[in-house]
């Protein structure tokens, strides 16, 4: 009988080691008591780093904290959470699906099943955001044109009426004209960039430096800027003016988000990605720009609609900056991604390098 039990335990251990899903066993004190090989692969940590460690100490930030695990033990009810943002102690960011089961043997233990979903979720999210963004832009364009037509007639009628009025009454027609002009300007901003990208071979780092200099000239929060550039990025065709506008919109947003932050800082980073897929097309080389700040993070209620027109996380904001930036990057076949948690917000701009598509 003893030999059968030992053989069964060995079989279970062998099976768990073959799984691609990370399996981890925590005791009542949330100390790691068992993990399979997939845990090391998913978390990118060695056996010594995981063995007998307090699970929450593995992370700088995790959407699921110790309170959730203790609550599961007390209630004897497991739970599952999708799209859990986790930042490891070394700063690496992971997106995880985590399922928690209460164990009866051994008692007072939690069995965690952890799946990394970063790549799959990014591809599906990119496709979803692209369709949502294009649909929102078309809706806004349709509404804007419907507004501009009668607005032009209203302004013209006010100008004609003004010619037959005395100076005292002209004050009212001038008010109508001024408000019509204000609405027209708003509608033009809603319509966003209207000219196609004028691509010329240019240096991406020159554009990033121009944006940094502009941001430093208007920097009331005294944000400290740092740079981390990849010198291997070659010159490639893009529209310098449009890319500068898109990047400046993001950097300005970051500066405004840091107004209440102690020791505010923004890092401008560039990298080259190899064999990267954008909008269903695979490129040998893609240029990447990151704008990283140490602000409070993006409110959870607007994360999914961040790039929609008229969505803003700050009082008095128009919500057009990020929408316009996304449109400008889309014109280059790229897209903008965002990861955010308290103390860290990271906007990533992806730009395919021309003539590198498979």
């Amino acid at each position: 009988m003893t030999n059968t039990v030992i053989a069964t335990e060995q079989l279970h251990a062998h099976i768990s080691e073959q799984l691609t899903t990370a399996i981890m066993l925590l005791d009542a004190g949330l100390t790691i008591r068992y993990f399979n090989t997939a845990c090391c692969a998913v978390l990118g940590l060695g056996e010594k780093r995981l063995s007998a460690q307090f699970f929450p100490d593995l992370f700088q930030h995790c959407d699921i904290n110790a309170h959730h695990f203790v609550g599961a033990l007390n209630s004897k009810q497991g739970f599952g959470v999708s799209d859990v943002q986790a930042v490891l102690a070394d700063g690496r960011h992971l997106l995880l699906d985590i399922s928690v089961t209460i164990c009866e043997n051994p008692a007072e233990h939690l069995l965690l099943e952890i799946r990394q979903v970063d790549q799959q979720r990014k591809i599906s999210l990119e496709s979803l955001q692209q369709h949502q963004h294009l649909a929102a832009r078309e809706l806004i364009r349709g509404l804007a044109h419907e507004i501009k037509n009668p607005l032009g007639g209203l302004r013209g009628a006010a100008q004609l009426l003004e010619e037959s009025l005395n100076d005292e009454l002209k004050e009212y027609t001038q008010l109508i004209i001024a408000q019509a002009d204000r609405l027209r300007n708003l509608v033009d901003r809603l319509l966003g960039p209207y000219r196609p990208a004028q691509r010329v071979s240019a240096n991406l780092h020159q554009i990033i430096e121009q944006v940094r200099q502009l941001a430093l000239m208007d920097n009331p929060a005294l944000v400290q800027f740092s740079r981390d550039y990849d010198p291997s990025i070659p010159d490639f065709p893009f529209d310098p003016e449009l890319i500068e506008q898109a990047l400046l919109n993001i950097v300005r947003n970051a500066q405004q988000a840091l107004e209440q932050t102690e020791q505010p800082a923004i890092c401008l980073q560039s990298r080259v990605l190899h064999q990267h897929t954008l909008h269903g097309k695979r490129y040998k080389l893609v240029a990447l720009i990151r704008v990283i700040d140490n602000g409070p993070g993006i409110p959870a209620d607007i994360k999914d609609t961040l790039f929609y027109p008229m969505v803003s996380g700050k009082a008095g904001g128009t919500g057009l900056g990020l929408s316009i930036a996304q449109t400008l990057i889309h014109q280059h076949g790229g897209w903008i991604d965002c990861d955010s948690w308290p103390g860290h917000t990271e906007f990533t701009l992806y730009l395919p390098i021309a003539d590198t598509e498979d």
Side-chain angles (χ1 to χ4, degrees), residues 105-350:
N105 184 23
E108 298 295 318
H109 278 62
L110 297 172
L111 179 66
L112 275 58
E113 299 175 61
I114 305 172
R115 298 178 181 85
Q116 187 175 3
V117 295
D118 299 65
Q119 193 59 34
Q120 305 96 301
R121 198 72 85 243
K122 278 186 179 296
I123 292 173
S124 61
L125 181 62
E126 177 187 343
S127 177
L128 177 62
Q129 284 186 347
Q130 181 187 18
H131 287 96
Q132 288 178 337
H133 181 74
L134 292 175
R137 295 299 304 173
E138 288 304 312
L139 175 62
I140 290 294
R141 287 179 185 277
L143 287 173
H145 285 299
E146 289 299 319
I147 292 171
K148 287 186 75 172
N149 289 336
L151 200 58
L154 181 67
R155 190 184 192 282
Q159 287 177 313
L160 291 173
L161 181 61
E162 188 176 54
E163 295 176 0
S164 61
L165 298 177
N166 58 42
D167 290 341
E168 183 178 346
L169 293 176
K170 283 182 180 180
E171 177 183 348
Y172 298 104
T173 55
Q174 289 171 0
L175 177 63
I176 294 172
I177 292 170
Q179 291 303 308
D181 288 342
R182 185 183 68 83
L183 287 173
R184 184 186 61 193
N185 290 336
L186 175 61
V187 167
D188 286 340
R189 292 189 65 194
L190 283 172
L191 287 171
Y194 56 88
R195 72 169 180 83
Q198 306 295 319
R199 299 178 188 240
V200 296
S201 183
N203 186 285
L204 192 61
H205 292 132
Q206 288 183 356
I207 303 304
I208 302 174
E209 278 297 293
Q210 289 174 14
V211 169
R212 188 179 70 88
Q213 292 294 336
L214 288 170
L216 286 171
M217 291 171 62
D218 182 17
N219 191 23
L222 301 179
V223 175
Q224 294 295 315
F225 282 83
S226 61
R227 291 167 284 181
D228 179 12
Y229 298 159
D230 182 347
S232 69
I233 298 178
D235 291 359
F236 65 97
F238 62 88
D239 189 314
E241 182 181 335
L242 297 188
I243 296 302
E244 180 179 325
Q245 183 184 348
L247 185 56
L248 185 60
N249 284 356
I250 292 172
V251 172
R252 292 291 194 208
N253 272 10
Q255 284 180 289
Q256 292 168 5
L258 292 170
E259 289 178 354
Q260 304 301 321
T261 300
E262 293 185 11
Q263 299 181 336
I266 293 175
C267 177
L268 299 175
Q269 187 181 88
S270 68
R271 293 289 185 271
V272 168
L273 299 179
H274 298 268
Q275 299 297 336
H276 190 78
T277 300
L278 290 171
H279 305 305
K281 298 179 181 179
R282 193 163 185 83
Y283 296 88
K284 294 178 182 177
L285 292 176
V286 170
L288 176 152
I289 308 170
R290 287 195 183 99
V291 179
I292 307 168
D293 71 64
N294 63 341
I298 294 169
D301 59 337
I302 66 168
K303 272 187 179 180
D304 293 337
T305 57
L306 192 60
F307 294 100
Y308 283 15
M310 312 304 288
V311 174
S312 177
K314 56 183 181 289
T318 62
L320 295 176
L322 290 178
S323 174
I324 290 173
Q326 188 72 279
T327 298
L328 295 173
I329 298 302
H330 272 193
Q331 284 184 293
H332 289 77
W335 82 304
I336 305 175
D337 187 19
C338 178
D339 288 315
S340 182
W341 54 88
H344 184 102
T345 297
E346 181 177 310
F347 281 89
T348 305
L349 289 71
Y350 298 88

